[in-house]
Amino acid sequence: MGTKKKSERKSRVSPAWLSPTDAAAYLGMSRQSIYRLMDMRALPYSLVRLCNCTRRRLAVADLDAYVSRDRTESNEELMRRADQLMLEMEMRRMRRGR
């Protein structure tokens, strides 16, 4: 009686910082897309130290700005740029491994 499910209680709270998974749900896109956008520096993030681990966190204000920004590039172009960046990163790793 009168008790709400955890998900209902959580939905009323609007944290200032979100994990990439929560940011993906917030923007309605895949988690992989969020990571690609972060790697492309299209989405700013902060590194937060939690339990001897470093985690990426995204500010809700930055996510809102990303959505409201005039994005003329199509998703296909973003994915092409992300793939190119991933290829460049892999080539750098291979060069260091020599």
Side-chain angles (χ1 to χ4, degrees):
M1 295 176 79
T3 60
K4 294 185 178 182
K5 293 180 185 176
K6 185 178 180 181
S7 61
E8 290 174 348
R9 287 190 309 253
K10 194 175 185 181
S11 65
R12 290 185 296 143
V13 178
S14 178
W17 295 91
L18 298 176
S19 68
T21 302
D22 293 336
Y26 184 79
L27 294 179
M29 58 177 56
S30 71
R31 189 175 56 127
Q32 182 180 12
S33 295
I34 294 292
Y35 278 103
R36 283 183 178 174
L37 290 170
M38 286 189 296
D39 291 339
M40 291 169 32
R41 294 184 176 90
L43 274 179
Y45 63 90
S46 293
L47 295 176
V48 178
R49 185 148 176 112
L50 298 170
C51 302
N52 296 327
C53 298
T54 304
R55 303 282 187 218
R56 296 187 212 187
R57 293 293 180 255
L58 299 104
V60 172
D62 291 335
L63 297 174
D64 291 338
Y66 175 77
V67 170
S68 65
R69 184 174 24 188
D70 182 29
R71 295 176 296 166
T72 57
E73 294 178 298
S74 68
N75 282 342
E76 293 156 2
E77 179 61 27
L78 286 172
M79 292 303 177
R80 241 188 319 265
R81 282 182 40 203
D83 289 340
Q84 181 181 6
L85 179 66
M86 297 295 264
L87 180 62
E88 289 172 6
M89 290 170 59
E90 185 62 33
M91 290 177 72
R92 284 187 209 133
R93 281 189 208 120
M94 290 173 64
R95 285 185 200 134
R96 289 183 200 143
R98 286 189 209 177

